[in-house]
Amino acid sequence: MKNKDYLVRATAANGQLRAFALRTTELTNEAQKRHDLYPIPSAALGRAMTVSLVLGAMLKTGTVTVHIQGDGILKGLMTSADHQGNVRGYVGNPHAHLPLNAQGKLAVGTAIGEGTLTVVRDSGLKEPYRGTVPLQTGEIGDDFAYYFTLSEQTPSAVSVGVLVDPSKRILAAGGFVVQVMPGASETVISTLERKIATIPPISNLINEGKTPEDVLELILGELDLDFKEKMPVQFKCFCSKERFKQSLITLGIEELEELVTEEETLDLVCHFCEEHYHITIDELNDILNELKEN
Ligand SMILES: [Zn+2]
């Protein structure tokens, strides 16, 4: 599974910690190609999709939506993931570009700017849970760490990274989330903190060929690491022509009649995946007739 994207879930220190690690190189490449992303948008979206997949994996059923709104040139981003390892997403400005920051890294935080991070977890069973926090640095890992601590009362270490080559191809992407469960001992917490302070950037580890299991071994190997689950992850959108046609019903009879009489066809594009859908006059007529019958 060296060149495959997947997520592992584990516990450590007898359940005092829970951890997730994942490789997301291929799915970030898929997003890069679909949206023609420049390096900063690739890094921002890749990082956000990586944490979204972890949030999705925490659900037993349903979906999670992440919305980052910022006043920077990226113009925000949106992702959506489910509990089965599927994720999709887009950024406001796929061609956002800035010089490297003072650390010689992609200036993701500056490109995102100041704003908010919103997470909506929808299990489909009860009212969706919604949490919003102010962005901390816009670097995404920090922002999610703050979100987990403040909004879900679960102190968490979050590290996400994307390595992009000059041709815009994604060399490596991935991340980890380690969460401190209630009642965790001081010793466990300080061991975790010490380990996290010394491990190399996650995108370098993935680029060197380290697997998600290797990454968790590095952090939690001394703390009775116990792997629970392994799940493939991929970029996948849920749009379809049928769904788009359903959404046209909301235009109403008057507007649909106008389109039909003016012989206008519709070209619709899915924001999440850039898939194009062409709706013909005949199809518009069908929707109109269906609407009139009901
Ligand atoms: Zn789509």
Side-chain angles (χ1 to χ4, degrees):
M1 299 260 284
K2 210 155 197 138
N3 298 314
K4 289 234 163 71
D5 287 348
Y6 66 95
L7 173 148
V8 291
R9 184 171 65 82
T11 62
N14 267 320
Q16 294 179 65
L17 302 173
R18 74 166 171 174
F20 300 83
L22 63 169
R23 179 190 193 270
T24 53
T25 311
E26 311 307 323
L27 68 91
T28 306
N29 255 316
E30 177 76 22
Q32 190 279 325
K33 277 187 242 143
R34 283 184 177 269
H35 298 296
D36 187 29
L37 300 174
Y38 280 24
I40 287 176
S42 280
L45 188 59
R47 292 180 195 179
M49 288 193 301
T50 300
V51 192
S52 302
L53 283 164
V54 172
L55 284 161
M58 289 172 180
L59 296 175
K60 287 196 177 64
T61 168
T63 58
V64 56
T65 306
V66 167
H67 192 188
I68 294 180
Q69 285 174 293
D71 61 5
I73 60 164
L74 190 70
K75 299 192 192 304
L77 67 83
M78 187 114 162
T79 69
S80 151
D82 66 12
H83 68 290
Q84 292 172 309
N86 301 305
V87 69
R88 55 186 188 155
Y90 64 94
V91 300
N93 177 8
H95 292 170
H97 176 70
L98 288 171
L100 294 178
N101 66 19
Q103 290 80 42
K105 299 255 165 67
L106 292 172
V108 173
T110 310
I112 285 183
E114 294 194 18
T116 54
L117 162 66
T118 300
V119 175
V120 182
R121 293 169 183 266
D122 188 355
S123 67
L125 304 172
K126 42 188 182 185
E127 276 292 286
Y129 166 84
R130 188 188 179 90
T132 299
V133 295
L135 292 171
Q136 298 304 292
T137 61
E139 295 287 337
I140 297 173
D142 301 337
D143 304 305
F144 275 102
Y146 186 72
Y147 163 80
F148 281 121
T149 305
L150 195 81
S151 202
E152 302 196 2
Q153 286 90 45
T154 310
S156 306
V158 181
S159 177
V160 280
V162 176
L163 204 60
V164 190
D165 83 0
S167 75
K168 307 190 190 87
R169 196 169 66 95
I170 312 305
L171 297 174
F176 67 78
V177 174
V178 182
Q179 301 198 301
V180 179
M181 297 290 104
S185 76
E186 283 304 320
T187 324
V188 166
I189 294 169
S190 63
T191 308
L192 174 65
E193 283 172 347
R194 182 168 46 80
K195 279 291 180 182
I196 282 177
T198 59
I199 80 154
I202 181 76
S203 52
N204 291 4
L205 292 173
I206 303 277
N207 195 39
E208 286 163 13
K210 295 269 190 292
T211 65
E213 287 92 337
D214 294 337
V215 171
L216 290 189
E217 284 286 351
L218 275 175
I219 309 164
L220 303 167
E222 292 170 22
L223 290 167
D224 296 322
L225 179 61
D226 184 9
F227 289 105
K228 299 287 188 192
E229 188 193 356
K230 184 167 172 170
M231 171 171 81
V233 292
Q234 54 275 317
F235 187 100
K236 188 174 178 191
C237 194
F238 308 110
C239 65
S240 66
K241 191 168 196 177
E242 212 38 55
R243 283 196 178 198
F244 272 100
K245 278 161 70 177
Q246 284 298 317
S247 69
L248 288 175
I249 288 172
T250 57
L251 286 177
I253 290 176
E254 220 168 284
E255 200 154 331
L256 282 168
E257 263 176 347
E258 204 170 303
L259 287 171
V260 172
T261 50
E262 287 174 13
E263 299 198 343
E264 296 248 20
T265 60
L266 287 178
D267 282 299
L268 304 171
V269 182
C270 174
H271 281 307
F272 276 106
C273 71
E274 297 292 327
E275 205 61 52
H276 287 243
Y277 294 98
H278 183 74
I279 313 285
T280 64
I281 298 282
D282 284 347
E283 285 168 324
L284 280 174
N285 236 331
D286 288 346
I287 299 165
L288 185 59
N289 289 333
E290 201 180 310
L291 203 56
K292 281 178 173 168
E293 278 167 26
N294 292 327

